Amino acid sequence: GRLGHLDLRLDGRGDTLGALLRDLELSLAAANARLSYGSSAGARPMDITLDTLDLALRRGQRLRGSARGTLLGEPAKLSLRGGALPDLLRELAMPIEIEIAAAQAKLRIEGTLARPEATRENTTHETALSFAFQARHTGDLARWLGVAPESKLPLDVRGRMRVASDALYLEQTRLKLGRSELTIDARRSRVDDRPSIVASVRSPLIDVPELTTLRAGTGRSSDAPVFPDAVDLADADLDLALQHVLLGRTDLVDVGFIARVREGRLQPAAFSGKVAGVPFAGLVGLDLRSEPPEARLDLSTGEIDVGALLRDSGAAEDIDGRADKLQLTLRGRGKTLRELARLSTFEARVIGGR
């Protein structure tokens, strides 16, 4: 990028270096900047213009700053507060407050930012930041998230992040999108020199029909890849609990899922819940490293009202029937929709009933 204008001023007096630093004032002003990063092959560059940037560090006061410009073509403004200069030079951690507003959305971050050496040396200092992000309409973020510009769903994300010497923690982070809501607690560390994630996800409600309004663009081509060409999934342990999942005419209740990902494979994982008032249980697995990628799903229920299930799913309106057991088996193979349709197998078995 380029920088059109820069003014830097330092002013201070003192008989010793310490006295000089305590008395020092700093001001920085920049203007007419145009920057871009992420311009490597295949990446979408992030374009930023900076009309004005002002930073000021007065004697005995905390760092203050502000900026105005554009982010991906959207007007944006930033405000910043940090620590006083003696503290910045002496302490291993400093307070920080950042607020960014763009495209009818606002991000606020505040807390303590530790120096890298404080984190590496396993001191009591750590980075601990609270964050909150709100957007009145998700469609306002279409340039950044690739969602439908006409989406009216409000978005609210807030939580806390900690960076310690051995791990990164995401604590009590709540994501609310329209009516859907998730609460996430997670830890990312390294085990045997591989990234490892342990996460717990809880939700009172997931509204799938509402979330489908986020989709942008036309239907997917049958030759479009469903799975990425190269993926290196971190080892992960996931505990998922969903109280209510709206699927349109059918609801899932009390869905539980315990998953383990090792060396890029989702090992066969148990899940359970209720559909049409009937308990179900099963196994799901995924291997993205095989050629072609493979997925499996096994599901079974006890006695079930098949007619109600067909009506709720929109498959048939005029069938009355019950089954003692219902068993579903799906084996998926392929990287594209065309391959999945050609190589996959599906079996549904109804046992007993009328």
Side-chain angles (χ1 to χ4, degrees):
R2 63 175 179 81
L3 179 62
H5 182 75
L6 179 70
D7 282 328
L8 173 65
R9 178 179 174 83
L10 293 170
D11 179 35
R13 293 182 179 183
D15 296 328
T16 66
L17 179 59
L20 175 64
L21 292 177
R22 286 190 296 272
D23 188 71
L24 192 65
E25 286 191 344
L26 177 149
S27 65
L28 174 74
N32 300 325
R34 183 177 298 275
L35 310 171
S36 177
Y37 72 92
S39 301
S40 58
R44 180 188 181 190
M46 178 73 74
D47 294 319
I48 301 171
T49 65
L50 196 63
D51 299 329
T52 61
L53 169 66
D54 293 289
L55 293 175
L57 194 52
R58 308 299 181 191
R59 293 182 182 92
Q61 298 182 14
R62 297 176 60 184
L63 172 69
R64 292 178 179 272
S66 63
R68 289 181 178 274
T70 63
L71 181 62
L72 286 179
E74 295 284 352
K77 60 181 180 178
L78 173 146
S79 63
L80 166 71
R81 293 185 67 192
L85 181 59
D87 296 333
L88 295 179
L89 298 174
R90 183 178 64 248
E91 299 294 336
L92 292 176
M94 70 168 184
I96 189 169
E97 299 174 20
I98 300 174
E99 187 170 292
I100 303 172
Q104 305 300 314
K106 182 183 291 186
L107 170 65
R108 181 173 178 81
I109 302 172
E110 58 182 320
T112 303
L113 191 64
R115 293 184 186 178
E117 61 267 28
T119 302
R120 288 195 302 266
E121 294 169 5
N122 199 23
T123 68
T124 57
H125 298 87
E126 64 179 17
T127 294
L129 301 173
S130 297
F131 57 88
F133 178 76
Q134 294 94 28
R136 186 183 306 173
H137 298 138
T138 313
D140 294 335
L141 309 176
R143 286 175 179 260
W144 304 330
L145 302 182
V147 298
E150 61 272 14
S151 173
K152 301 298 183 183
L153 299 185
L155 174 64
D156 190 318
V157 184
R158 59 187 66 226
R160 175 180 167 87
M161 182 186 73
R162 290 193 300 117
V163 181
S165 61
D166 59 345
L168 183 149
Y169 298 85
L170 200 61
E171 301 173 331
Q172 286 298 299
T173 297
R174 189 195 71 169
L175 185 154
K176 189 170 177 58
L177 180 56
R179 299 175 61 197
S180 302
E181 183 176 338
L182 291 174
T183 300
I184 303 169
D185 286 278
R187 181 184 79 244
R188 190 180 193 277
S189 59
R190 296 192 72 86
V191 177
D192 296 331
D193 205 33
R194 281 185 56 83
S196 176
I197 298 172
V198 178
S200 169
V201 180
R202 301 288 182 266
S203 171
L205 178 66
I206 300 292
D207 190 333
V208 175
E210 186 181 64
L211 294 178
T212 59
T213 64
L214 294 171
R215 252 186 332 220
T218 58
R220 184 189 293 265
S221 165
S222 62
D223 291 317
V226 177
F227 303 115
D229 289 331
V231 62
D232 186 15
L233 297 178
D235 291 350
D237 293 273
L238 173 65
D239 180 1
L240 179 69
L242 312 178
Q243 294 181 20
H244 201 171
V245 182
L246 303 180
L247 299 177
R249 299 174 62 175
T250 303
D251 295 350
L252 302 179
V253 179
D254 296 334
V255 177
F257 179 54
I258 304 293
R260 285 170 56 88
V261 177
R262 294 294 184 270
E263 298 180 352
R265 295 177 61 248
L266 171 61
Q267 301 175 358
F271 64 90
S272 62
K274 293 181 179 178
V275 59
V278 176
F280 64 83
L283 292 173
V284 62
L286 179 64
D287 186 355
L288 296 180
R289 292 192 170 184
S290 65
E291 188 58 44
E294 296 183 356
R296 61 171 289 187
L297 171 69
D298 297 296
L299 182 146
S300 63
T301 74
E303 185 178 354
I304 186 170
D305 187 332
V306 178
L309 181 62
L310 293 173
R311 287 191 295 273
D312 289 346
S313 63
E317 299 291 339
D318 55 355
I319 294 178
D320 179 24
R322 302 187 67 85
D324 295 336
K325 290 182 180 181
L326 176 63
Q327 297 176 344
L328 302 178
T329 301
L330 172 65
R331 298 291 182 268
R333 298 179 67 241
K335 186 175 293 184
T336 66
L337 290 175
R338 187 186 300 275
E339 285 186 347
L340 285 170
R342 180 168 55 89
L343 301 176
S344 301
T345 61
F346 174 75
E347 179 180 291
R349 178 173 295 179
V350 177
I351 303 173
R354 60 177 180 82

